[in-house]
Amino acid sequence: MRLLKPPRVRQRRHRCTKIERVAEQEATEATQGIIREEVRRVAELLVPEPGDQIWDVRNGGIYPEVDKRARNDATQQAARRRKLNGEEGHVPIYATHFSREEIESEEKKPKRKVAVMIGNHHEKTIEGDLFSAFVAAGAISKANGDDPKKSSLMRCARTDKGVHAAGNLISLKLIIEDQDIVQKINNKLTPQIRVFGIERTKGSFNAYQLCDSRVYEYLIPTHTLLPPHPRSFLGKKLLELAEEAEDLEGYQNRQRDVSKFWEETEEQYIKPILAQLDPSFRSTALKALYETDANYSHVDKLSDEAESETPNLQHSEIDAAVGPVELTTDGAIEESSASKAEDPDRQSTNREAVDFAQHPADGKEEDGTQGQRDTFDQLEDPFFKPVDPSPLNIAIKKLRAELIAAKKAYRIHPDRLARVRTALSLFLGRQNYHNYTVNKHFYDPSAKRFIKSFVVHDQPVLINGTEWLSLKVHGQSFMMHQIRKMVSMVALVVRCGCYEGRLQDSFMKEKMSIPKAPGLGLLLERPVFDTYNERLIGDSGRERIDFGKFEEVMKEFKQREIYERIFREEEHDNQFHAFFSSIDNFKSPQFLFLSSVGLPATRRRILAAETSKPDLMEIDMIDGSSSDEEVADGGEG
């Protein structure tokens, strides 16, 4: 039998509990009121300007989010205020201005919304050149020649710096009554930019918004798929880690088709030159050939997701740091800077001396363009002193020339081509590409992209003694550097004898330092407008947007202005050789995820590298899995 407490005691306790609940509720409401007032006060002080970021909490982290509606409203209001005040807005430098008399005397003609199909070898101001040509050819009236916005100019696809476009499209309003308007426009353009055709579209057509997908092509020499030399840093680590992971047999099987390449190269190309050298510096020459260590303080950032953390492998600066031999079109060899890395001032002076000796005195390159250095200024410089290369330097240059010749003589084996095809197929579908662009974290929805196809042409092409592969990728959209990093990842996986599943690991949360391949081989082949074309069925007076109509003229332009330039520049600069040679000798654990051990090899060695080389490794853990602070900021590249 349960004993009850006296009624007076129970009533007092009940009354105290009720008072406590009321007091707690009042305190909570007061606290919430204070918080609301503080938030309101801060919001009044921090009125967002156009382009400001509003912070939001998503997926367990705090990430920036742009209030696009507020930004657009503020921009439009500012434009209206400037117009009412008689102030001129931002006008592009390529705007064409005419006098009032010229504008009034011009006959007014109707303008129509059109799609202009174009191609271009990489030009910095393609919109400016096109707009000026439209005005000069009469496709844009003089009254609208001062501002492209009046013609609603819009490009469907942007490209990275230095990337070509065999087929691109812009939409705008043009005067197209003249039957020869395409020819007149081309007459006002340089040969590097061509207008293939103009198609009438609906008034609401927008080249960027209505583009369904894009097709890109990447040309890459097959010798980039050769494994790192066994004496290089990466070559040694791959073999060492394969033994550690008890995967030596599997690693050797994946490299079976190229297992004899370096041995045969030594016998055929390298040993005949070594036999002619002084025995006292043969070992030094071989070490300089295969184990060159780059001067990272003079190299750009390697991985874009940590631009302030890792050195980059850009061919123009690799030449200054690593010193790969460069062959000119007439077979001359440019001076290597590796032997002069100990003295930056002398290194710069010696390289200028070699450039001056190999180029005409007018300071122009072989294609007639103005060179980067003014040779006359060099002669007037009192510190400019040509230095004769030592016998060791001459020997190293000869060895490097023979090494490049051996690589260019390589012909890809069907088994290696099959590995490339398998690796490309892993990109199909929707994947998370936060490791393949700039400033994207794993949880950013925009990091997910859909790839429709990624294939390699069955037959390699032989150009000037070098074998090339053509890779074509078709995707809905791409981020900055995405394709170049995809190609680089495939090449690294194949050449390092890596398990193909490592490529799929790059779609996960962990960060990987994936360098971007040279932009030289990348070109936009064409944009695709299938959805727009389907809507045009039964709509008279409107033509489908089809680049196939101009296949012949596009093929001729692509061969003349893009392919030949790519082959010629690679023959002269050896950009792909410099890029992958620098990766092989990049003395850092960041690429050890390509080994049989995988990402743990990078993670467990990164701290030791930070301790031993603080000047190279002033970075956090690049795997990005230990804390939210390691997630890169979002934003389109």
Side-chain angles (χ1 to χ4, degrees):
M1 182 175 180
R2 187 168 64 90
L3 297 176
L4 297 177
K5 294 182 180 180
R8 183 173 300 176
V9 175
R10 289 204 314 271
Q11 184 177 5
R12 187 183 306 111
R13 174 169 294 184
H14 176 73
R15 186 165 53 250
C16 293
T17 304
K18 184 176 181 180
I19 293 174
E20 291 174 357
R21 286 200 303 268
V22 171
E24 181 179 357
Q25 182 176 0
E26 291 177 351
T28 301
E29 292 178 353
T31 303
Q32 292 177 349
I34 295 173
I35 294 175
R36 284 195 295 269
E37 181 63 23
E38 185 67 18
V39 170
R40 185 190 64 78
R41 186 184 66 82
V42 173
E44 291 178 352
L45 295 176
L46 301 177
V47 178
E49 297 293 336
D52 278 0
Q53 292 181 334
I54 299 176
W55 294 85
D56 190 18
V57 178
R58 300 194 309 268
N59 299 318
I62 301 179
Y63 306 110
E65 180 178 325
V66 177
D67 189 348
K68 296 182 179 180
R69 178 172 295 181
R71 179 190 62 189
N72 294 339
D73 291 344
T75 302
Q76 294 174 2
Q77 292 176 5
R80 283 193 289 268
R81 286 196 300 269
R82 288 196 300 268
K83 187 174 182 180
L84 292 174
N85 296 334
E87 301 176 1
E88 293 186 0
H90 174 71
V91 179
I93 59 174
Y94 51 80
T96 306
H97 298 275
F98 296 92
S99 64
R100 178 173 297 181
E101 292 76 12
E102 291 177 310
I103 295 176
E104 293 177 351
S105 63
E106 184 184 32
E107 179 184 358
K108 296 187 179 298
K109 298 179 182 179
K111 54 185 179 181
R112 310 296 182 187
K113 194 64 171 290
V114 297
V116 182
M117 283 158 278
I118 62 174
N120 70 281
H121 169 61
H122 61 84
E123 295 285 339
K124 294 182 179 180
T125 58
I126 178 175
E127 286 91 349
D129 293 341
L130 280 170
F131 189 78
S132 300
F134 292 151
V135 175
I140 293 179
S141 64
K142 296 178 180 179
N144 295 331
D146 60 342
D147 191 356
K149 293 182 180 179
K150 296 180 180 179
S151 299
S152 304
L153 191 150
M154 178 65 64
R155 180 166 57 167
C156 76
R158 69 173 185 265
T159 56
D160 291 352
K161 181 181 179 182
V163 177
H164 322 277
N168 205 343
L169 185 141
I170 62 173
S171 61
L172 74 166
K173 298 176 182 178
L174 292 182
I175 302 171
I176 56 174
E177 293 181 347
D178 193 337
Q179 298 295 325
D180 299 326
I181 189 63
V182 173
Q183 184 61 40
K184 291 182 177 180
I185 293 173
N186 283 328
N187 292 339
K188 305 295 182 180
L189 291 170
T190 62
Q192 290 76 28
I193 307 175
R194 291 289 91 180
V195 173
F196 303 130
I198 299 176
E199 297 290 358
R200 178 84 182 275
T201 66
K202 293 183 177 181
S204 59
F205 180 80
N206 184 294
Y208 182 77
Q209 295 177 355
L210 295 180
C211 181
D212 294 325
S213 56
R214 299 157 181 86
V215 180
Y216 282 84
E217 181 179 14
Y218 194 95
L219 300 177
I220 184 171
T222 57
H223 65 72
T224 60
L225 303 175
L226 287 169
H229 192 276
R231 293 188 58 169
S232 67
F233 174 82
L234 186 57
K236 294 176 182 177
K237 290 298 181 181
L238 291 176
L239 187 61
E240 172 189 322
L241 293 173
E243 294 177 348
E244 177 183 326
E246 299 181 353
D247 185 44
L248 183 59
E249 183 178 354
Y251 171 76
Q252 292 175 343
N253 287 335
R254 292 188 289 270
Q255 303 283 40
R256 184 188 302 112
D257 59 294
V258 291
S259 60
K260 300 294 184 181
F261 175 81
W262 289 116
E263 181 180 346
E264 294 173 353
T265 297
E266 295 275 351
E267 292 291 335
Q268 183 178 353
Y269 293 89
I270 305 301
K271 286 186 177 180
I273 298 179
L274 289 177
Q276 304 172 11
L277 300 182
D278 187 333
S280 62
F281 55 75
R282 286 179 184 176
S283 60
T284 304
L286 283 177
K287 185 173 182 179
L289 181 65
Y290 296 128
E291 306 175 39
T292 304
D293 191 4
N295 182 3
Y296 298 106
S297 62
H298 298 291
V299 187
D300 279 346
K301 306 306 177 188
L302 169 67
S303 191
D304 289 314
E305 67 273 4
E307 289 196 356
S308 62
E309 300 170 353
T310 314
N312 192 8
L313 301 178
Q314 295 292 337
H315 66 271
S316 60
E317 297 188 79
I318 287 173
D319 295 344
V322 182
V325 71
E326 296 182 351
L327 301 181
T328 61
T329 54
D330 60 357
I333 304 176
E334 292 187 1
E335 177 73 1
S336 169
S337 63
S339 60
K340 298 177 284 295
E342 70 278 3
D343 189 348
D345 295 331
R346 181 182 175 184
Q347 174 183 348
S348 175
T349 303
N350 291 348
R351 177 168 285 273
E352 291 174 350
V354 175
D355 287 345
F356 174 73
Q358 292 185 355
H359 294 285
D362 58 359
K364 293 187 177 181
E365 303 292 342
E366 291 179 358
D367 58 358
T369 59
Q370 184 68 27
Q372 293 183 353
R373 300 178 179 89
D374 189 343
T375 55
F376 292 103
D377 291 343
Q378 295 174 358
L379 290 177
E380 295 174 359
D381 186 356
F383 299 101
F384 176 73
K385 298 178 181 180
V387 179
D388 294 332
S390 66
L392 177 60
N393 291 339
I394 295 175
I396 294 173
K397 288 190 294 182
K398 289 181 179 180
L399 289 172
R400 283 178 172 164
E402 289 299 311
L403 179 62
I404 293 175
K407 285 186 173 183
K408 291 183 177 181
Y410 169 74
R411 302 296 177 258
I412 192 169
H413 192 276
D415 292 346
R416 187 142 293 236
L417 187 60
R419 290 201 68 206
V420 173
R421 191 175 290 108
T422 300
L424 293 177
S425 66
L426 299 178
F427 287 107
L428 301 184
R430 184 173 298 277
Q431 307 289 355
N432 192 314
Y433 290 95
H434 72 104
N435 276 321
Y436 291 84
T437 187
V438 186
N439 296 333
K440 290 285 184 183
H441 54 77
F442 177 75
Y443 296 108
D444 192 333
S446 64
K448 295 182 178 180
R449 301 296 165 118
F450 187 83
I451 303 299
K452 295 186 174 183
S453 67
F454 203 170
V455 297
V456 55
H457 198 279
D458 293 333
Q459 296 297 328
V461 180
L462 192 63
I463 303 294
N464 298 330
T466 302
E467 191 179 54
W468 294 76
L469 291 178
S470 172
L471 312 178
K472 289 191 177 181
V473 56
H474 183 191
Q476 288 184 343
S477 60
F478 299 94
M479 297 175 289
M480 177 178 283
H481 306 327
Q482 179 182 338
I483 299 175
R484 293 166 62 184
K485 285 175 175 281
M486 291 165 68
V487 171
S488 177
M489 186 65 175
V490 170
L492 291 173
V493 166
V494 173
R495 71 192 302 268
C496 293
C498 181
Y499 171 59
E500 286 83 355
R502 197 62 39 73
L503 192 149
Q504 294 176 310
D505 295 340
S506 65
F507 304 139
M508 300 297 106
K509 182 179 179 180
E510 290 191 88
K511 297 292 291 183
M512 288 186 180
S513 294
I514 304 176
K516 57 180 181 291
L520 175 67
L522 182 61
L523 62 136
L524 171 64
E525 186 170 275
R526 70 182 186 279
V528 180
F529 293 86
D530 288 341
T531 302
Y532 173 79
N533 290 337
E534 291 175 0
R535 294 175 182 175
L536 286 181
I537 298 177
D539 190 351
S540 59
R542 301 291 184 272
E543 294 290 336
R544 294 165 56 89
I545 297 178
D546 184 11
F547 282 86
K549 300 178 182 178
F550 314 102
E551 183 175 357
E552 291 300 323
V553 64
M554 288 179 63
K555 185 177 180 180
E556 186 273 334
F557 173 81
K558 183 163 59 173
Q559 181 66 34
R560 183 188 74 250
E561 293 295 336
I562 300 179
Y563 284 169
E564 291 185 4
R565 284 177 177 263
I566 291 176
F567 300 143
R568 185 167 61 249
E569 289 185 27
E570 173 60 19
E571 179 71 18
H572 184 273
D573 298 331
N574 298 301
Q575 297 182 23
F576 287 94
H577 164 76
F579 175 75
F580 286 100
S581 295
S582 296
I583 289 180
D584 295 345
N585 291 291
F586 185 72
K587 293 178 174 57
S588 164
Q590 292 172 3
F591 295 135
L592 297 186
F593 65 85
L594 297 166
S595 67
S596 299
V597 175
L599 279 167
T602 295
R603 289 197 298 265
R604 72 191 186 195
R605 285 172 167 80
I606 200 78
L607 293 177
E610 287 177 338
T611 304
S612 60
K613 292 187 177 181
D615 56 324
L616 305 184
M617 304 300 300
E618 294 176 356
I619 60 175
D620 296 326
M621 292 292 289
I622 62 173
D623 62 285
S625 59
S626 59
S627 69
D628 291 335
E629 294 179 355
E630 295 165 8
V631 180
D633 294 337
E636 282 293 337

